[in-house]
Amino acid sequence: MRLRNRWLRLGALLCTAVLVAAGCGEAAPEPGANEVDRQDDQLSLAQDEGEVVWYAGLELSLVDTIVAGFEKKTGISVDAIRLGGEEVATRLLQESDAEVHLADVIYTGNEGNFVDFKKRDLLAPYRSAELSHFDKAYYDEDLAYYVPYANRFWMVYNTNLVPESEAPKSYADLADPKWSGALAISHPGYSVGAAIVPFFWSQTPGLGLDLMDKIAANKPLINQSVHDSMAAVISGERKVAVVVNDAGFYTDGKGAPVEAVYPTEGVPTSGGGVGVAKQAPHPYAARELLDYILSREGQQIMADASRTVFRDDVTYPAGYVPPTSGDQNLYVVDPAEFAAKHDEIVTHFQKVFGV
């Protein structure tokens, strides 16, 4: 895996364009507008391209493991740009507006991003070689993107600091003054999960976005990611994390004095998304990486990290609680509704917390 400066990559792309125009080199033919199926010589063409640029809104440990497996299997180098999910979306839109095309594969934890990307015609439809292993609920009807996993969002408390009998049972409990200086919350402008939970509040009678104002009165620690909030609870810096995804609980919290709370109002759950950029500089390598992420090997990497994936041929670690177990009262977030509400959530958060 190589990490390179964005502007160096842009310069390289411009130089390549000049050389090809001058007849000093030849570029591999790009897939035609209607060629959504995998081509027989796709791997060979991808290896000729030699690299793929991945905008990865995913934990670094997962990115590293996926990259290592893909590079070993294909010999194609991955330039992985690790960002927060909303940072991926912002960068892609800014680069598109500037007509700068650097990304080959796009990955965020928010399917709503991909609803927006599709509307903006930023995705290249592709019928993945792994399509038959996925129910149609987990890919776009026009094959513009796929849903490789889902997150459930819980609260978490430190069991050394909070007895089970005193732990919050609901999101409404977080307004109790006894949690003053004891909460950790994540910023929805950076973390997708930190926006999913307030969206759920906005859709739930008796909660609403006004719950942010009540939580703000308890002076929570503001973090960028849900993993930072989890770390604050593990260390004892705070007693309760308002938003933690299930993967963070199982991985970051393994062996730590923490316990999950399924809020009585419900457990919001939301899918991530992955797709090929329409103007991908390395379109064949992009397709190969997408296929790998959706393959049994790629999905097993996610399952090993306690991600909820949608293939039926993977296994999960011991102790993993699947979505169908327990009294979780799942609330499945509609990606289009979430996308429409996202900016309002971020604006309200910034106004209430001043960040």
Side-chain angles (χ1 to χ4, degrees):
M1 177 174 66
R2 293 177 292 159
L3 297 176
R4 294 181 290 155
N5 181 274
R6 167 184 170 184
W7 300 113
L8 289 178
R9 292 200 307 278
L10 175 58
L13 287 172
L14 292 175
C15 288
T16 299
V18 170
L19 287 172
V20 172
C24 297
E26 294 184 4
E30 295 186 2
N34 297 318
E35 294 176 2
V36 299
D37 294 324
R38 179 182 176 85
Q39 299 183 28
D40 293 339
D41 57 349
Q42 181 168 291
L43 177 58
S44 176
L45 291 169
Q47 290 170 332
D48 288 343
E49 290 173 340
E51 68 173 330
V52 59
V53 178
W54 181 18
Y55 282 14
L58 193 64
E59 292 96 321
L60 182 59
S61 59
L62 274 177
V63 172
D64 287 345
T65 306
I66 290 170
V67 166
F70 176 76
E71 290 184 338
K72 180 179 180 180
K73 184 173 183 178
T74 66
I76 299 168
S77 178
V78 180
D79 188 354
I81 312 300
R82 166 67 182 94
L83 300 165
E86 294 310 304
E87 289 182 316
V88 169
T90 298
R91 175 175 288 198
L92 184 69
L93 296 180
Q94 288 175 341
E95 291 177 350
S96 176
D97 289 343
E99 297 187 358
V100 173
H101 306 294
L102 303 178
D104 292 307
V105 175
I106 309 150
Y107 196 119
T108 82
N110 176 10
E111 186 184 352
N113 291 146
F114 288 81
V115 173
D116 183 46
F117 297 158
K118 181 182 176 183
K119 287 181 179 178
R120 295 171 184 264
D121 197 26
L122 298 180
L123 301 172
Y126 172 53
R127 191 184 311 278
S128 171
E130 305 297 329
L131 184 69
S132 63
H133 295 282
F134 288 82
D135 184 273
K136 64 181 181 180
Y138 303 118
Y139 56 85
D140 173 63
E141 62 182 357
D142 298 315
L143 305 177
Y145 65 87
Y146 294 79
V147 180
Y149 70 90
N151 280 317
R152 290 165 288 168
F153 295 95
W154 304 330
M155 294 188 291
V156 171
Y157 67 94
N158 185 306
T159 55
N160 288 340
L161 302 176
V162 181
E164 182 179 0
S165 61
E166 297 181 13
K169 303 297 188 295
S170 68
Y171 285 120
D173 287 347
L174 301 175
D176 191 319
K178 78 175 184 178
W179 300 116
S180 180
L183 302 177
I185 192 170
S186 305
H187 198 303
Y190 178 86
S191 167
V192 173
I196 290 289
V197 171
F199 172 79
F200 171 69
W201 297 343
S202 75
Q203 306 299 301
T204 303
L207 294 181
L209 289 182
D210 289 344
L211 182 59
M212 279 192 200
D213 303 69
K214 298 173 183 177
I215 291 174
N218 282 332
K219 301 177 181 178
L221 174 68
I222 309 297
N223 295 297
Q224 282 194 326
S225 77
V226 295
H227 296 277
D228 294 335
S229 292
M230 181 71 170
V233 173
I234 291 172
S235 70
E237 183 180 4
R238 289 294 188 272
K239 296 178 180 179
V240 176
V242 177
V243 181
V244 172
N245 63 25
D246 49 359
F249 173 73
Y250 285 117
T251 54
D252 302 346
K254 187 176 182 179
V258 293
E259 188 56 71
V261 174
Y262 307 149
T264 56
E265 298 96 344
V267 173
T269 181
S270 175
V274 61
V276 174
K278 185 171 184 178
Q279 300 293 335
H282 312 99
Y284 293 108
R287 289 176 165 201
E288 287 296 316
L289 178 56
L290 176 60
D291 280 345
Y292 182 78
I293 290 170
L294 299 176
S295 71
R296 184 183 185 281
E297 183 175 336
Q299 293 283 279
Q300 187 62 59
I301 290 171
M302 293 190 182
D304 288 342
S306 298
R307 291 283 187 180
T308 299
V309 299
F310 303 114
R311 290 183 66 118
D312 58 5
D313 54 356
V314 300
T315 58
Y316 288 95
Y320 172 82
V321 178
T324 53
S325 298
D327 185 19
Q328 297 182 60
N329 188 21
L330 294 182
Y331 174 92
V332 179
V333 172
D334 181 279
E337 292 179 359
F338 173 69
K341 193 80 172 178
H342 179 266
D343 288 350
E344 179 186 346
I345 291 168
V346 174
T347 299
H348 191 83
F349 187 95
Q350 292 170 333
K351 178 181 178 181
V352 170
F353 292 100
V355 292

